[in-house]
Amino acid sequence: MARRPSISMVASSSHIFHVIGDIQGDRFIPNRGAMDLDLAHFNLLHEARENSHTPSEVASPVKVKSPKKQCRLTFPCQEDYRRILAESLLSCETGSPKILAFTKKIPSLSIQRCLDTELDILPSSKKPHRHICQTPERILDAPEIVDDYYLNLLDWSCNNTVAVALGSAVYLWDADTGESFQLSKCEEHDTVTSVAWSDDGRLIAVGLSSACIQLWHATSRSQIRTFRGHSSRVSSLAWNGSLLSSGSRDHKIINHDVRARAHKASVLAGHCQEVCGLKWSPCGQQLASGGNDNLLHIWDAAVASTFDSIHPGSRCAFRFDCHRAAVKALAWCPFQSRLLASGGGTVDRCIKFWNTQTGTCLSSIDTLSQVCALQWSRHQKEILSSHGYSLNQLCVWKYPSMIRIAELRGHTARVIHLAQSPEGTTVASAAADETLRFWRVFGSPNKKCGSDMKPSGLSRSASSIR
């Protein structure tokens, strides 16, 4: 089949370039060069002349198509046209388009209003904050209490009796009856440097600056034994059943078996300065010791043996050197095994939490003041800290977030010692201002885990410890 020749093949070359020059563009973009502008201008003027015969009527550009024919709508004037157009397309009240407007406007709800509505519907899971009294329940005078950060002069027995060392004497105060009496008095030029109750509350150990330890019976008020072995003052004591551990300025820790005639069971050496903090774990498997050398040692009871002069300190399970000051404040957690809290002195100011099973530091918080003592709550996940320079206050912390729940002020000097009541709700604090204050800081035990001990009240029949 023969191919039909195109226009470009028939026309001359000059005519081809003339047509291409006149019709420039493509099929998607209109080309105004192909439009007759003169004819369009004439048609516009002609239509205007026809409409000039009815000057009161202005043609509207709006056209409505009907199924039968197309008609043109006209209005008396341009203003009427605009008004009708606005009423048709726009809302008269707001002036917003009616094309996408809802028939009934949805009420505007703020985010806060939605949250308030959900809180009203859903049951509240947040427990109310427990109220902590900011004033002490009782204040006792404690004259001649030694202002020494490295000593441990306060303890509270399971029989609700408080023991406090005032100068060269030890006084006992019965919290139930309010009666107080002197248990012991040292010889001249000797002072009490530490006191500690036994687990059953029958015996009390008294450490002296003369490097010896006295063992007293609380009920009979008689001295049973005297332990020797240290070469300097005994600044810390800790009980573990029938085993009494003592820490001294001679850098040593001696474990005494109070049942045996040869009382010295073992000697632990690892510190190079005074041992000022000593605590046995609740399970009795680990002993924590803190010293003025900024070190914290964890000793395993199973491997504790006689002092090794060749490899001192080789028997300790862990050795922590993260504190930058003396480590005196030590407290084992009662609700989580192998959790220990330690506090540093003036330069350090930190409370650190340790996993003594893995030997890792779990967390640390800067308290902005010297940490003197620590006490865990037995019923809530809280811990109490007492502080020295420069704020001299007590702080209740929520564990493990370490949010400060309460801050208790009242002491005018550093709060060196803390002791907790048998039921675990009241804490006694002894400070260098020679006062002994009792604070109800911890909540009562719930019915499920409450002990069979009845709550111990504080008698108000006395105002002085002696």
Side-chain angles (χ1 to χ4, degrees), residues 29-309:
I29 302 177
N31 187 1
R32 293 188 177 181
M35 299 174 60
D36 193 345
L37 298 179
D38 294 335
L39 180 58
H41 181 65
F42 173 77
N43 292 334
L44 290 175
L45 294 179
H46 179 70
E47 185 177 0
R49 292 191 194 97
E50 292 180 352
N51 295 334
S52 62
H53 296 289
T54 57
S56 59
E57 299 179 357
V58 180
S60 173
V62 180
K63 295 181 180 181
V64 181
K65 294 183 179 180
S66 61
K68 295 182 180 180
K69 61 178 180 179
Q70 182 176 358
C71 62
R72 185 187 298 271
L73 298 178
T74 58
F75 301 96
C77 60
Q78 188 70 18
E79 289 74 11
D80 296 338
Y81 165 72
R82 292 177 180 175
R83 178 179 56 80
I84 296 174
L85 184 62
E87 292 178 355
S88 302
L89 299 180
L90 302 178
S91 174
C92 299
E93 299 177 357
T94 61
S96 59
K98 295 173 63 177
I99 300 175
L100 298 178
F102 293 98
T103 305
K104 293 183 179 180
K105 185 179 293 185
I106 299 176
S108 59
L109 295 177
S110 62
I111 297 177
Q112 185 63 36
R113 183 177 174 185
C114 294
L115 293 176
D116 294 341
T117 304
E118 291 181 0
L119 291 177
D120 293 338
I121 298 174
L122 296 177
S124 177
S125 59
K126 186 177 181 181
K127 296 182 180 179
H129 290 291
R130 177 172 53 84
H131 172 71
I132 300 177
C133 185
Q134 301 293 315
T135 57
E137 287 189 327
R138 185 156 184 80
I139 302 177
L140 298 178
D141 294 330
E144 297 184 17
I145 190 170
V146 181
D147 182 12
D148 194 329
Y149 174 79
Y150 303 101
L151 305 185
N152 295 270
L153 306 178
L154 180 67
D155 200 11
W156 201 330
S157 74
C158 62
N159 296 326
N160 207 21
T161 303
V162 178
V164 59
L166 302 178
S168 59
V170 176
Y171 289 86
L172 303 182
W173 182 74
D174 193 330
D176 292 327
T177 62
E179 297 179 356
S180 62
F181 57 90
Q182 179 179 310
L183 176 68
S184 66
K185 187 173 177 61
C186 304
E187 298 178 357
E188 191 177 359
H189 306 298
D190 198 1
T191 57
V192 179
T193 54
S194 58
V195 294
W197 285 100
S198 62
D199 297 336
D200 56 8
R202 295 188 302 109
L203 304 177
I204 181 172
V206 179
L208 304 177
S209 59
S210 57
C212 65
I213 303 170
Q214 297 178 352
L215 191 62
W216 289 76
H217 195 281
T219 305
S220 62
R221 304 181 189 179
S222 59
Q223 182 178 350
I224 301 176
R225 298 188 63 176
T226 299
F227 301 137
R228 303 184 185 276
H230 290 290
S231 59
S232 185
R233 69 177 186 180
V234 181
S235 51
S236 57
L237 294 168
W239 285 87
N240 184 20
S242 60
L243 191 68
L244 174 64
S245 301
S246 60
S248 172
R249 188 183 274 178
D250 62 4
H251 318 161
K252 297 179 183 178
I253 301 172
I254 300 180
N255 294 320
H256 310 269
D257 189 349
V258 299
R259 301 170 301 178
R261 173 173 297 199
H263 60 87
K264 187 183 294 186
S266 61
V267 178
L268 307 176
H271 293 278
C272 57
Q273 290 192 36
E274 183 173 10
V275 182
C276 53
L278 209 58
K279 291 289 182 182
W280 277 97
S281 62
C283 62
Q285 297 300 316
Q286 289 183 321
L287 173 67
S289 64
N292 194 26
D293 52 4
N294 309 345
L295 295 179
L296 172 61
H297 285 155
I298 306 298
W299 308 89
D300 197 339
V303 298
S305 59
T306 308
F307 170 61
D308 188 352
S309 59

